[in-house]
Amino acid sequence: RDVVGVMTLRGAMIAVVGPSHDRGRVWDDHQGILDAVLGGAEKQAEMLSLQHIQNAAQRVIRKFPG
């Protein structure tokens, strides 16, 4: 893994999610997606990924309006 890339992604996520109660939910989302992928549940992984992206988009819009 590219350590710089991982740290950049982590920093970006922290900037968007912030130090809030949402952070735990975000990591739980990632775990659920990974579990579905590793378990071969493609449709579930797809559904969880789409929900996660939609939720993330809404957080970005709220945090950075206009």
Side-chain angles (χ1 to χ4, degrees), residues 3-24:
V3 173
V4 173
V6 170
M7 295 309 293
T8 302
L9 175 60
R10 186 175 178 89
M13 289 180 59
I14 289 170
V16 171
V17 176
S20 70
H21 65 281
D22 286 340
R23 189 177 297 173

Side-chain angles (χ1 to χ4, degrees), residues 17-54:
V17 176
S20 70
H21 65 281
D22 286 340
R23 189 177 297 173
R25 185 170 49 86
V26 168
W27 291 113
D28 289 346
D29 286 355
H30 289 184
Q31 185 65 55
I33 295 164
L34 179 61
D35 290 345
V37 169
L38 295 177
E42 295 91 359
K43 289 294 184 188
Q44 182 183 11
E46 178 183 16
M47 179 196 67
L48 292 171
S49 295
L50 289 173
Q51 287 175 345
H52 178 71
I53 291 166
Q54 291 168 343

